[in-house]
Amino acid sequence: MKVNAWNEWDPLRHIIVGRADGTVVQAAEPAVYRDWPQDGFPQGTWGPLPDDMVARANEQLDNFAESLRRRGVTVDRPQPLDFSQPVATPEWTQDSQFGCMPVRDVLITVGNEILEATMSYRSRWFEYLCYRPLLESYFHADQDMRWEAAPKPRLTDASFRAGFWPEYESLPDDEKLDRVRRNELLLTEAEPLFDAADVARFGKDLFVQLSLVTNQSGVRWLRQHFPSHRVHPVTFGNTHPLHIDATWVPLRPGLVLHCSERPADPEMLQYFKINDWEVVPAAPPQKTYETLPPLCFCSPWLSINVLSIDERTVCVEASETRQMELLDRLGFEVLPVPFWDVAPFGGGLNCATVDVYREGTCEDYFPKRHGRF
Ligand code: DAV
């Protein structure tokens, strides 16, 4: 086996698909505010997601894994921990962990390297352990694999703006968006922090969303860590930015799918335009916030959280008919995959996976410079 992946669309040969087992609605921590009284988790409570939800999510994850195997893709699965255990470092304790469904948040493959992200929730501090059996086996099987981990964060109170959530949620949307554009959100700049799912890979260009879980120091660390890449911090008009993969989704060279409710900045759009990329507005999702599954902290835009098998073939959630029709019109073979039962465990088809091997090499898809890009 080999580790290799430079972008989101080259032919897929090997992937990790997450598991729902043992996922927990996290105990309160500086980064996480949950209040779901109608679904059994009012503010201040925490605990495992219900067994029947876990079973339904695992069935969809297993079916997805099986359908990838039938297309010749090698599929690995993580090793869940007992996420209801408390965790501690010498500087804090946290009453619960989270889960290991959204692999994309924790790991990123860039070329022959797999990098473990810092993460920015205390409940997710030890999540990398779920992937260590796989990473150890890849390291031994592929003499060329680079195995890296970003600096383990301290996540003391100094890493978080005190009282962020109530203050932020009381702001009108335009003020929230100002804060998003300035990246004055939950995280301070005390230490580099990022989730791997805020990075979109376009060969030599890596676009990193500044978000509720990724700060500017995190982007600086990534830029220094990948000196042969162009690493671009980006923001979108999204009041709750959390991972780039339901906002800005590359499908093939020259084509990116964009959540139109979350505008890109004009300089970024121009960078894509002068380099002959088409930015296609996504179709409206079938779901609304009212019809999302219970305990779901993602948005209806998981409808565009697709997984590419290659630049002509894309897995899309099976009930997202408008999105499937759009991709069909754009010339893709669309593979429908039922997946909404997985959403409460942390995301969609892209979130649930990390590609270990895609054929291909590092290409420069943006030969022309523009502004800060
Ligand atoms: O935009 O609804 C999707 C990605 C979560 N891992 C959103 C977040």
Side-chain angles (χ1 to χ4, degrees), residues 105 242-243 245-246 262 298-299 302 346 351:
D105 302 1
L242 177 79
H243 306 149
D245 55 352
R262 301 168 174 175
C298 299
S299 76
L302 286 183
C351 305

PDB file of all heavy atoms in Angstrom, residues 105 242-243 245-246 262 298-299 302 346 351, ligand 1:
ATOM      1  N   ASP A 105     -12.111  15.628   9.840  1.00  0.00           N
ATOM      2  CA  ASP A 105     -11.761  16.712  10.766  1.00  0.00           C
ATOM      3  C   ASP A 105     -10.352  16.542  11.328  1.00  0.00           C
ATOM      4  O   ASP A 105      -9.693  17.516  11.664  1.00  0.00           O
ATOM      5  CB  ASP A 105     -12.735  16.746  11.957  1.00  0.00           C
ATOM      6  CG  ASP A 105     -14.180  16.910  11.528  1.00  0.00           C
ATOM      7  OD1 ASP A 105     -14.444  16.978  10.318  1.00  0.00           O
ATOM      8  OD2 ASP A 105     -15.056  16.952  12.418  1.00  0.00           O
ATOM      9  N   LEU A 242     -17.582  26.292   9.933  1.00  0.00           N
ATOM     10  CA  LEU A 242     -17.056  25.090  10.591  1.00  0.00           C
ATOM     11  C   LEU A 242     -16.799  24.071   9.490  1.00  0.00           C
ATOM     12  O   LEU A 242     -17.722  23.385   9.078  1.00  0.00           O
ATOM     13  CB  LEU A 242     -18.091  24.551  11.586  1.00  0.00           C
ATOM     14  CG  LEU A 242     -17.716  23.261  12.308  1.00  0.00           C
ATOM     15  CD1 LEU A 242     -16.748  23.545  13.441  1.00  0.00           C
ATOM     16  CD2 LEU A 242     -18.953  22.560  12.855  1.00  0.00           C
ATOM     17  N   HIS A 243     -15.588  24.047   8.987  1.00  0.00           N
ATOM     18  CA  HIS A 243     -15.148  23.123   7.936  1.00  0.00           C
ATOM     19  C   HIS A 243     -15.591  23.635   6.557  1.00  0.00           C
ATOM     20  O   HIS A 243     -16.722  24.056   6.381  1.00  0.00           O
ATOM     21  CB  HIS A 243     -15.627  21.690   8.178  1.00  0.00           C
ATOM     22  CG  HIS A 243     -15.211  21.211   9.544  1.00  0.00           C
ATOM     23  ND1 HIS A 243     -15.943  20.307  10.270  1.00  0.00           N
ATOM     24  CD2 HIS A 243     -14.141  21.549  10.318  1.00  0.00           C
ATOM     25  CE1 HIS A 243     -15.332  20.089  11.424  1.00  0.00           C
ATOM     26  NE2 HIS A 243     -14.244  20.835  11.480  1.00  0.00           N
ATOM     27  N   ASP A 245     -15.935  22.010   3.745  1.00  0.00           N
ATOM     28  CA  ASP A 245     -16.421  21.031   2.766  1.00  0.00           C
ATOM     29  C   ASP A 245     -17.941  20.970   2.601  1.00  0.00           C
ATOM     30  O   ASP A 245     -18.455  20.044   1.977  1.00  0.00           O
ATOM     31  CB  ASP A 245     -15.828  19.639   3.025  1.00  0.00           C
ATOM     32  CG  ASP A 245     -16.075  19.120   4.430  1.00  0.00           C
ATOM     33  OD1 ASP A 245     -16.581  19.883   5.280  1.00  0.00           O
ATOM     34  OD2 ASP A 245     -15.761  17.942   4.683  1.00  0.00           O
ATOM     35  N   ALA A 246     -18.655  21.955   3.158  1.00  0.00           N
ATOM     36  CA  ALA A 246     -20.049  22.139   2.766  1.00  0.00           C
ATOM     37  C   ALA A 246     -20.220  23.561   2.202  1.00  0.00           C
ATOM     38  O   ALA A 246     -21.315  24.114   2.159  1.00  0.00           O
ATOM     39  CB  ALA A 246     -20.995  21.907   3.938  1.00  0.00           C
ATOM     40  N   ARG A 262     -23.305  31.357   1.107  1.00  0.00           N
ATOM     41  CA  ARG A 262     -22.088  31.723   1.833  1.00  0.00           C
ATOM     42  C   ARG A 262     -21.081  32.303   0.845  1.00  0.00           C
ATOM     43  O   ARG A 262     -20.153  31.629   0.415  1.00  0.00           O
ATOM     44  CB  ARG A 262     -21.493  30.474   2.492  1.00  0.00           C
ATOM     45  CG  ARG A 262     -22.443  29.791   3.455  1.00  0.00           C
ATOM     46  CD  ARG A 262     -21.949  28.407   3.856  1.00  0.00           C
ATOM     47  NE  ARG A 262     -22.799  27.829   4.883  1.00  0.00           N
ATOM     48  CZ  ARG A 262     -22.667  26.598   5.361  1.00  0.00           C
ATOM     49  NH1 ARG A 262     -21.710  25.807   4.903  1.00  0.00           N
ATOM     50  NH2 ARG A 262     -23.479  26.140   6.292  1.00  0.00           N
ATOM     51  N   CYS A 298     -24.777  20.202  12.177  1.00  0.00           N
ATOM     52  CA  CYS A 298     -24.401  20.678  10.849  1.00  0.00           C
ATOM     53  C   CYS A 298     -25.615  21.340  10.193  1.00  0.00           C
ATOM     54  O   CYS A 298     -26.696  21.359  10.755  1.00  0.00           O
ATOM     55  CB  CYS A 298     -23.910  19.537   9.976  1.00  0.00           C
ATOM     56  SG  CYS A 298     -22.442  18.721  10.635  1.00  0.00           S
ATOM     57  N   SER A 299     -25.414  21.879   8.992  1.00  0.00           N
ATOM     58  CA  SER A 299     -26.484  22.596   8.319  1.00  0.00           C
ATOM     59  C   SER A 299     -27.061  21.740   7.189  1.00  0.00           C
ATOM     60  O   SER A 299     -26.486  20.716   6.823  1.00  0.00           O
ATOM     61  CB  SER A 299     -25.939  23.906   7.751  1.00  0.00           C
ATOM     62  OG  SER A 299     -25.179  23.634   6.585  1.00  0.00           O
ATOM     63  N   LEU A 302     -25.026  20.049   4.121  1.00  0.00           N
ATOM     64  CA  LEU A 302     -24.357  18.746   3.968  1.00  0.00           C
ATOM     65  C   LEU A 302     -24.738  18.136   2.618  1.00  0.00           C
ATOM     66  O   LEU A 302     -24.105  17.194   2.163  1.00  0.00           O
ATOM     67  CB  LEU A 302     -24.756  17.791   5.092  1.00  0.00           C
ATOM     68  CG  LEU A 302     -24.145  18.063   6.472  1.00  0.00           C
ATOM     69  CD1 LEU A 302     -24.583  16.989   7.452  1.00  0.00           C
ATOM     70  CD2 LEU A 302     -22.623  18.135   6.417  1.00  0.00           C
ATOM     71  N   GLY A 346     -21.714  13.944  12.970  1.00  0.00           N
ATOM     72  CA  GLY A 346     -20.660  14.901  12.632  1.00  0.00           C
ATOM     73  C   GLY A 346     -20.484  15.208  11.169  1.00  0.00           C
ATOM     74  O   GLY A 346     -19.446  15.777  10.798  1.00  0.00           O
ATOM     75  N   CYS A 351     -17.121  14.511   5.132  1.00  0.00           N
ATOM     76  CA  CYS A 351     -16.690  14.539   6.537  1.00  0.00           C
ATOM     77  C   CYS A 351     -16.320  13.147   7.047  1.00  0.00           C
ATOM     78  O   CYS A 351     -15.396  12.993   7.844  1.00  0.00           O
ATOM     79  CB  CYS A 351     -17.822  15.048   7.433  1.00  0.00           C
ATOM     80  SG  CYS A 351     -18.497  16.643   6.998  1.00  0.00           S
TER      81      CYS A 351
HETATM   82  O1  DAV B   1     -21.457  23.785   6.880  1.00  0.00           O
HETATM   83  O2  DAV B   1     -22.982  22.646   7.812  1.00  0.00           O
HETATM   84  C1  DAV B   1     -20.487  20.881   7.548  1.00  0.00           C
HETATM   85  C2  DAV B   1     -19.202  20.179   7.903  1.00  0.00           C
HETATM   86  C3  DAV B   1     -19.119  19.612   9.240  1.00  0.00           C
HETATM   87  N1  DAV B   1     -17.959  18.759   9.374  1.00  0.00           N
HETATM   88  C4  DAV B   1     -21.826  22.914   7.637  1.00  0.00           C
HETATM   89  C5  DAV B   1     -20.770  22.096   8.338  1.00  0.00           C
END
